[in-house]
Amino acid sequence: MNLKVLVVGHGAREHAIAKKIVESDAELHAAMGSRNPGIAGLSKRSEIMDITDTDRYAKFGDVDVAFIGPEAALAAGVTDRLNELGVPVVGPTREASKLEWSKAYTRLFLSDHGIEGNPEYSICRTGGEIREFLDAHAEVAVKPDVLTGGKGVRITGEHLKSREEVEAYAMERIGSDGLVVLEPRLVGREFTLQAFTDGKSVSVMPLVRDYKRAFDGDRGPNTGSMGSYSREDHGLPGLSEASVRRGVSIMEHTVRELTATGEAFRGVLYGGFMETEEGVYLLEYNSRFGDPEAMNVLALLKRPLLDVGWEIIDGRLSDLGFEMKATVCVYIVPDGYPVDPKRGSEVRIKQPKSSELFFASVHEEDGAILTTGSRSVALLAKGESISEAREKVYGDVPGIEGALFHRRDIGEGV
Ligand code: GLY
């Protein structure tokens, strides 16, 4: 009998997870905030529901295993709830995922457990504490303590033009969250590491670079990300192997210490790092696959994701194995995204020739695919090189029509 596998979430990342799961002939069940037509089409049962409402999961007590995509569901304790129902989950508990949903907790966790990678930081609860930090540091990063969909961190010189703007934003966050984390602005090369972990070993995936800004040349507002690439050698241009090893060692140490506290992290840990002249610093942790980074790495994963999931749950994670190919992923988003996205407008899709298509935040009405307020569709292509993958994916982009735009420079010049 086929295993019943629940996938939680309705974005392109979850569509990518769902596609990998059904490769194992599993019976797919889906819990989605809105109807992703790609996931729904693969599923035996799909429920449209508030995926953070843990009471709504009683109906999934009959599934054999669950994969959780979005951080909001992890932070709400969906893993804990499913575990109570006897369902093993690939995705950390609420407590273990605190690494993502509380930036202050993560800084303190690293400090308290002697884990390297923290920059100087201040957890501020008053205007006086903010001003004291700003007197010592002309340029800072203001980090909300809570989940902000990747759009909450603001940096002097990039998003905040003056000390007054920094103070105002930091005070706004204290007003809404009770506290805010301030750190000096770090200058260097940013990179991220995604790793599967069973709470013991940490198995790193090919490195991926994503593009957060809305427009070509890294201009415009921050978005959930407009695309990403990974190279055939699984590295990133200019990034030293020593820095990658340092990042991995910070993640391994964090995982060990979490397990020692009784809160083993089982799932995907995503570390954002900065390589600087002084060393490698942890910028932040995410407790799940990146989106779009999941598409890049899952396209290369040679083994069935379901098998990897069982190894994570059983605490016997073994070698992964990824194809030595390049990938380029391009998001196609509604005009006006992210500030004033054109909602409810039709997306007309021709089947791509050389790329894989993932639905993101669209909804289907009377057979038509319509935009919502977020990214619509992602296309991903693999190639022997980045230029081959770019050629394939950009060759298919014109087949996605509507009041939409995309970046033209994903993977350019790397
Ligand atoms: N691409 C960044 C993220 O998923 O948070």
Side-chain angles (χ1 to χ4, degrees), residues 13 71 100 149-150 192 194 210-212 223-228 270 284 286 288-294 375:
R13 168 183 52 203
E71 60 274 24
E100 175 162 8
T192 58
Q194 295 181 102
D210 80 332
Y211 291 69
K212 290 218 164 47
T223 68
S225 183
M226 295 294 288
S228 50
Y270 173 119
E284 63 174 11
N286 293 336
R288 34 87 195 167
F289 274 121
D291 184 348
E293 294 93 328
R375 298 169 294 180

Side-chain angles (χ1 to χ4, degrees), residues 251-385:
M251 288 168 78
E252 285 172 340
H253 196 171
T254 306
V255 163
R256 274 201 310 278
E257 295 294 338
L258 261 182
T259 300
T261 65
E263 276 301 337
F265 189 108
R266 294 192 186 87
V268 174
L269 183 61
Y270 173 119
F273 296 95
M274 184 73 90
E275 177 190 54
T276 73
E277 290 192 347
E278 294 77 44
V280 171
Y281 293 103
L282 174 77
L283 298 176
E284 63 174 11
Y285 275 133
N286 293 336
S287 54
R288 34 87 195 167
F289 274 121
D291 184 348
E293 294 93 328
M295 272 84 87
N296 301 83
V297 292
L298 289 175
L300 299 174
L301 180 62
K302 288 188 195 160
R303 298 183 47 210
L305 180 61
L306 190 51
D307 292 0
V308 176
W310 282 124
E311 290 183 5
I312 288 171
I313 287 162
D314 295 342
R316 54 178 176 87
L317 184 58
S318 61
D319 279 349
L320 292 174
F322 290 91
E323 283 182 85
M324 299 304 288
K325 290 202 169 159
T327 61
V328 175
C329 182
V330 176
Y331 257 117
I332 298 145
V333 305
D335 281 346
Y337 173 80
V339 178
D340 185 19
K342 194 165 165 46
R343 296 166 205 265
S345 106
E346 190 175 356
V347 182
R348 293 174 300 280
I349 298 173
K350 276 202 205 102
Q351 197 52 38
K353 287 197 183 81
S354 315
S355 324
E356 207 177 341
L357 182 139
F358 302 93
F359 287 101
S361 288
V362 287
H363 69 272
E364 210 175 352
E365 225 175 85
D366 301 329
I369 306 287
L370 305 176
T371 58
T372 63
S374 192
R375 298 169 294 180
S376 305
V377 165
L379 289 176
L380 174 126
K382 274 196 278 194
E384 299 302 325
S385 63

Side-chain angles (χ1 to χ4, degrees), residues 99-346:
L99 285 180
E100 175 162 8
W101 57 261
S102 171
K103 302 291 177 252
Y105 164 84
T106 299
R107 288 294 176 223
L108 292 170
F109 189 84
L110 264 62
S111 297
D112 292 349
H113 293 83
I115 303 168
E116 57 282 34
N118 261 349
E120 217 182 301
Y121 65 91
S122 175
I123 297 169
C124 302
R125 291 184 170 77
T126 64
E129 286 169 339
I130 292 171
R131 285 188 287 280
E132 197 179 315
F133 196 81
L134 295 183
D135 288 343
H137 302 278
E139 300 203 322
V140 298
V142 183
K143 297 189 170 178
D145 186 45
V146 298
L147 294 179
T148 56
K151 297 177 195 124
V153 176
R154 294 197 193 159
I155 297 171
T156 314
E158 284 185 33
H159 320 93
L160 302 166
K161 300 298 172 211
S162 62
R163 178 175 164 135
E164 288 68 38
E165 280 187 27
V166 172
E167 247 184 89
Y169 181 53
M171 283 306 292
E172 182 189 317
R173 296 315 314 201
I174 290 180
S176 57
D177 314 328
L179 54 89
V180 67
V181 180
L182 296 189
E183 298 171 8
R185 179 186 187 182
L186 296 176
V187 178
R189 191 188 303 276
E190 211 174 318
F191 66 99
T192 58
L193 298 173
Q194 295 181 102
F196 288 111
T197 175
D198 58 3
K200 290 187 282 197
S201 60
V202 168
S203 205
V204 177
M205 304 180 220
L207 272 67
V208 182
R209 192 210 146 187
D210 80 332
Y211 291 69
K212 290 218 164 47
R213 300 290 190 131
F215 309 130
D216 288 3
D218 287 331
R219 290 175 302 110
N222 271 350
T223 68
S225 183
M226 295 294 288
S228 50
Y229 74 83
S230 69
R231 292 201 322 183
E232 62 278 14
D233 63 1
H234 295 176
L236 289 177
L239 180 66
S240 78
E241 275 186 32
S243 293
V244 173
R245 277 200 301 277
R246 187 77 173 154
V248 174
S249 132
I250 292 169
M251 288 168 78
E252 285 172 340
H253 196 171
T254 306
V255 163
R256 274 201 310 278
E257 295 294 338
L258 261 182
T259 300
T261 65
E263 276 301 337
F265 189 108
R266 294 192 186 87
V268 174
L269 183 61
Y270 173 119
F273 296 95
M274 184 73 90
E275 177 190 54
T276 73
E277 290 192 347
E278 294 77 44
V280 171
Y281 293 103
L282 174 77
L283 298 176
E284 63 174 11
Y285 275 133
N286 293 336
S287 54
R288 34 87 195 167
F289 274 121
D291 184 348
E293 294 93 328
M295 272 84 87
N296 301 83
V297 292
L298 289 175
L300 299 174
L301 180 62
K302 288 188 195 160
R303 298 183 47 210
L305 180 61
L306 190 51
D307 292 0
V308 176
W310 282 124
E311 290 183 5
I312 288 171
I313 287 162
D314 295 342
R316 54 178 176 87
L317 184 58
S318 61
D319 279 349
L320 292 174
F322 290 91
E323 283 182 85
M324 299 304 288
K325 290 202 169 159
T327 61
V328 175
C329 182
V330 176
Y331 257 117
I332 298 145
V333 305
D335 281 346
Y337 173 80
V339 178
D340 185 19
K342 194 165 165 46
R343 296 166 205 265
S345 106
E346 190 175 356

